[in-house]
Amino acid sequence: MYLIEISRVSNSSLFSLKKGDIMNDLEKRIFDACLKAVEEENMTLVEVELAKEFGSLILRFTIDKEEGIDIDDTTLISEKVGLILDELDPIDKEYYLEVSSIGLERELRNIDEIKNSIGKYINVKTYEKIMVGKTGVKEFEGHLLKVEDNLITMNFKMKQFKKEITIPYEKIAKIRLAIEF
């Protein structure tokens, strides 16, 4: 049983305590139970996360679709998964149900998400400086060109010059979509 529904469209989660792309057994069970309902609305269920924030349990559904998510989408999915959760009753404590968009500057959490972002504008931070000419650089922003054999190739601007760089996936500390100005 859930306590309240929260629907929001956001650029990022303000209080996210969990990172990574591994769901626990309960989250996976809820994900599997609700996946079809989300897909029936031509949306993607990206993640289900159960988190404790400020003493409250939050069951967070993150959704996406090609043309972007609006408040009507979050409300619709909140209603649909709410019915499923009422029947499944997977959590024996009160919790808040939150349905939100994936966000404009979302983190790309695995190589498949990176491959699906070819052509998009991204921001990459590396664990250590990578030499570009005589300069060591740890942060790059530009268009993702290709992903092959765990190598990420992108173009970026360095001063007024456009450059291309290939970065091994294992050297990337964080990669996310970015907004191009």
Side-chain angles (χ1 to χ4, degrees):
M1 171 182 278
Y2 59 91
L3 179 64
I4 190 170
E5 297 176 14
I6 302 171
S7 298
R8 67 183 170 96
V9 177
S10 68
N11 289 342
S12 66
S13 175
L14 294 175
F15 307 112
S16 181
L17 300 178
K18 257 169 85 170
K19 294 289 179 197
D21 58 351
I22 298 172
M23 289 186 278
N24 67 36
D25 290 339
L26 177 60
E27 292 165 334
K28 179 78 172 117
R29 198 170 96 220
I30 294 169
F31 183 98
D32 291 343
C34 296
L35 179 62
K36 184 178 177 189
V38 174
E39 289 177 342
E40 285 173 353
E41 301 301 330
N42 297 315
M43 295 182 222
T44 303
L45 180 54
V46 176
E47 181 179 38
V48 171
E49 175 188 30
L50 184 61
K52 190 168 189 174
E53 298 174 359
F54 304 108
S56 297
L57 278 179
I58 308 226
L59 181 59
R60 181 174 295 122
F61 283 73
T62 306
I63 58 174
D64 195 17
K65 71 177 179 182
E66 188 80 23
E67 57 276 5
I69 298 295
D70 62 29
I71 194 70
D72 293 333
D73 295 325
T74 61
T75 301
L76 175 65
I77 297 304
S78 181
E79 290 169 358
K80 287 187 85 164
V81 301
L83 293 173
I84 294 167
L85 293 169
D86 279 346
E87 188 171 312
L88 186 63
D89 202 18
I91 304 168
D92 61 356
K93 297 178 182 170
E94 287 185 344
Y95 62 92
Y96 293 92
L97 173 61
E98 177 184 292
V99 177
S100 62
S101 69
I102 199 156
L104 297 175
E105 292 193 330
R106 72 179 175 91
E107 186 174 351
L108 303 174
R109 300 168 303 167
N110 57 51
I111 198 77
D112 289 330
E113 287 186 8
I114 296 168
K115 285 179 182 177
N116 289 333
S117 298
I118 290 174
K120 294 185 179 172
Y121 197 76
I122 61 168
N123 175 281
V124 176
K125 293 181 182 175
T126 58
Y127 289 111
E128 56 194 42
K129 289 182 181 178
I130 294 176
M131 296 306 290
V132 179
K134 295 181 180 181
T135 306
V137 181
K138 281 186 74 172
E139 186 169 354
F140 304 87
E141 200 160 283
H143 288 93
L144 178 60
L145 301 175
K146 66 181 177 181
V147 180
E148 290 179 351
D149 301 321
N150 285 339
L151 297 172
I152 285 61
T153 303
M154 64 181 292
N155 63 25
F156 70 102
K157 273 190 176 177
M158 187 167 177
K159 298 184 182 180
Q160 71 270 22
F161 301 105
K162 199 174 224 184
K163 306 227 179 218
E164 187 173 298
I165 189 162
T166 300
I167 305 169
Y169 179 68
E170 63 271 3
K171 292 193 178 213
I172 295 174
K174 184 175 184 175
I175 182 170
R176 63 174 173 80
L177 296 179
I179 299 172
E180 185 175 8
F181 292 100

